[in-house]
Amino acid sequence: MKNASIIMNGESNKILDRQKTEAVDSYSTNPSSSVPDLAFWIISLLQLGTLVSASLVLVGSVSYLASHGFEPRVYQNFQGIASPFNSMAEVMQGLYRGESLALVQMGLLMLVATPVLRVTITCLIFAFSGDITYAFITLFVLMTLTYSFMGIRP
């Protein structure tokens, strides 16, 4: 029984490899197809957005620890503090003032915005290419993301 599943997995891998090869061949025989180019740009966008946001968070964290890392902490009574950055305008003002926590907040906002930008670009690509079904699916995903960021509770 175990050998049969191994053989089946091997066969399914061969089928998947053949389908991938056929897909690549169909793109390479159609020079007007820009799907691989678009995939490259979307992957590059995600990598760049992640790299920039991670860099902002790292620089902001190091800056914060350099200025506040040696302050004594008392852990017996925990008291939370309100976030000084509740809007994009406050984050921008904090960046203008050179606050390290604003830099961390901007990095986190960019980390969230990167996949949202990817969904937006993908939706536009599907719409302009005439693939209405996938355009509506990605538009639904984009509307769901937008709704989730509004913070509306039922």
Side-chain angles (χ1 to χ4, degrees):
M1 190 77 147
K2 187 175 182 181
N3 290 337
S5 68
I6 292 172
I7 292 170
M8 287 176 49
N9 285 337
E11 288 297 318
S12 63
N13 286 339
K14 288 179 186 176
I15 292 170
L16 288 174
D17 288 341
R18 188 171 359 110
Q19 290 173 346
K20 288 177 188 175
T21 303
E22 289 171 2
V24 169
D25 288 343
S26 69
Y27 290 134
S28 62
T29 58
N30 184 3
S32 65
S33 176
S34 60
V35 174
D37 292 336
L38 294 175
F40 171 77
W41 286 109
I42 290 173
I43 290 169
S44 298
L45 170 74
L46 290 172
Q47 290 174 340
L48 181 66
T50 304
L51 182 65
V52 169
S53 65
S55 300
L56 288 174
V57 170
L58 180 67
V59 169
S61 298
V62 168
S63 174
Y64 181 79
L65 287 175
S67 60
H68 298 288
F70 296 105
E71 293 176 358
R73 299 283 180 207
V74 179
Y75 293 108
Q76 284 79 17
N77 297 331
F78 177 77
Q79 295 179 356
I81 58 171
S83 173
F85 310 111
N86 293 321
S87 69
M88 190 65 182
E90 292 174 349
V91 172
M92 296 307 282
Q93 290 171 355
L95 287 173
Y96 182 72
R97 290 189 301 266
E99 296 180 27
S100 56
L101 287 180
L103 198 57
V104 172
Q105 187 76 18
M106 180 56 96
L108 293 175
L109 286 171
M110 283 189 68
L111 187 64
V112 171
T114 300
V116 173
L117 184 60
R118 178 205 181 274
V119 171
T120 304
I121 291 172
T122 306
C123 183
L124 292 173
I125 289 169
F126 285 139
F128 288 129
S129 68
D131 198 347
I132 302 302
T133 303
Y134 286 114
F136 278 121
I137 290 171
T138 54
L139 183 62
F140 176 74
V141 171
L142 185 61
M143 289 186 326
T144 304
L145 285 170
T146 304
Y147 177 77
S148 69
F149 291 139
M150 289 182 185
I152 300 172
R153 302 281 180 202

